[in-house]
């Protein structure tokens, strides 16, 4: 069985995906800008990559060897500055949208027909928006459009593309956002219809399902894992 490439695979949801898939016996390549802070699970190989850098992505796919699936979880978040700032806009777009496109196209070129899988990490903010995250909302809406167009383009090859749209998940990225908003996990849960936030492992489980034979006819879907926050 070919390896699964997970970008953003050393932290947060990407790390949860890498651990779950390795536990299922899959070979996993975890790519990220930063080396892991703790040893990765057995069966997980780390390759450094900044998805915002085209040369870095080319090097990643050159080193990865054959892959059967790609989970594109790399990205950055953060509220907008008080005034429109092109540098902030470009930083958010470079990782979240440009990086997703770059890695998806590189993956599509090498994934096997009939069984290849691409899973994008979008966000509930790809389904709705908030006023103080214009750049991030736009990027994640773009990821969903990218996914849908690729799903149609790749369908004749039997390759699926889907996007996961989590709401609050207790990760370093979410905790940084909570600090910006002056809130905590409890407040995030209270603002979610189900009154709980999602575990990274729950998002990973959905990614693993989309890689399974049972999901071979699921494509082009933006799947909310948000406790109803996207409704």
């Amino acid at each position: 069985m070919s390896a699964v490439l997970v970008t953003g695979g050393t932290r947060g949801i990407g790390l949860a995906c890498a651990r779950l898939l390795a536990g299922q016996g899959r070979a996993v390549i975890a790519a990220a800008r930063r080396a892991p802070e703790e040893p990765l699970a057995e069966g997980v190989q780390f390759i450094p990559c900044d998805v915002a850098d085209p040369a870095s992505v080319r090097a990643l796919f050159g080193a990865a060897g054959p892959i059967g699936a790609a989970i594109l979880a790399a990205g950055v978040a953060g509220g907008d500055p008080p005034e429109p700032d092109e540098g902030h806009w470009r930083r958010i777009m470079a990782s979240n949208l440009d990086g997703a496109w770059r890695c998806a196209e590189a993956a599509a070129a090498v994934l096997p027909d009939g069984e290849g899988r691409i899973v994008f990490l979008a966000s509930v903010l790809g389904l709705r928006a908030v006023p103080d995250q214009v750049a991030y909302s736009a990027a994640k809406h773009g990821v969903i459009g990218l996914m849908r167009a690729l799903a149609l383009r790749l369908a004749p090859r039997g390759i699926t593309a889907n996007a996961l749209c989590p709401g609050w998940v207790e990760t370093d990225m979410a905790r940084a956002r909570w600090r910006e908003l002056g809130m905590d996990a409890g407040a995030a849960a209270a603002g979610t219809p189900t009154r709980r936030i999602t575990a990274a492992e729950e998002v990973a489980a959905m990614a693993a399902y989309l890689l399974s034979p049972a999901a071979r006819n699921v494509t082009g879907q933006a799947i909310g894992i948000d406790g109803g926050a996207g409704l």
Side-chain angles (χ1 to χ4, degrees), residues 167-169 185-186 188-200 202 225-229:
W168 287 125
V169 180
T192 301
T194 60
R195 299 297 187 266
R196 62 180 295 270
I197 59 177
T198 305
E202 293 174 277
I225 313 173
D226 57 17

Side-chain angles (χ1 to χ4, degrees), residues 24 41 57 103 116 182 210-211 219:
Q24 294 176 345
V57 171
C103 291
L210 291 172
L211 267 55
T219 197

Side-chain angles (χ1 to χ4, degrees), residues 118 120 142-152 161-163 219-222:
I118 301 174
F120 294 87
V143 167
I144 291 174
L146 166 65
M147 173 275 295
R148 287 174 172 158
L150 276 178
L152 289 173
N162 294 282
T219 197
Q221 302 305 303

Side-chain angles (χ1 to χ4, degrees), residues 22-215:
Q24 294 176 345
R26 299 290 298 263
V28 178
I29 297 164
R33 288 180 298 163
R34 301 185 188 91
E37 296 177 355
E38 56 188 77
L40 295 172
E42 183 177 352
V44 180
Q45 174 191 2
F46 170 69
I47 299 178
C49 178
D50 179 357
V51 300
D53 178 0
S56 186
V57 171
R58 288 194 295 270
L60 167 64
F61 279 84
I67 61 169
I71 299 175
L72 306 181
V76 296
D80 296 331
E83 299 295 330
D85 183 296
E86 188 160 343
H88 170 76
W89 173 271
R90 287 304 328 149
R91 182 179 71 87
I92 296 294
M93 289 293 171
S95 288
N96 292 290
L97 183 53
D98 298 349
W101 168 78
R102 194 170 288 122
C103 291
E105 292 288 15
V110 299
L111 287 172
D113 291 357
E115 57 186 53
R117 304 282 186 267
I118 301 174
V119 178
F120 294 87
L121 227 299
S123 168
V124 67
L125 295 187
L127 302 172
R128 61 179 183 85
V130 292
D132 67 332
Q133 283 191 292
V134 171
Y136 187 76
S137 298
K140 292 303 187 179
H141 275 74
V143 167
I144 291 174
L146 166 65
M147 173 275 295
R148 287 174 172 158
L150 276 178
L152 289 173
R153 196 184 85 195
L154 297 175
R157 291 178 53 194
I159 296 172
T160 67
N162 294 282
L164 302 181
C165 302
W168 287 125
V169 180
E170 192 161 2
T171 62
D172 290 343
M173 185 181 292
R175 284 187 282 270
R177 178 64 175 154
W178 293 338
R179 288 192 293 272
E180 289 180 352
L181 297 172
M183 59 188 289
D184 59 15
T192 301
T194 60
R195 299 297 187 266
R196 62 180 295 270
I197 59 177
T198 305
E201 291 75 16
E202 293 174 277
V203 184
M206 182 60 74
Y209 166 71
L210 291 172
L211 267 55
S212 74

Side-chain angles (χ1 to χ4, degrees), residues 12-25:
I13 293 170
L15 176 59
C17 290
R19 285 174 170 166
L20 176 60
L21 292 167
Q24 294 176 345

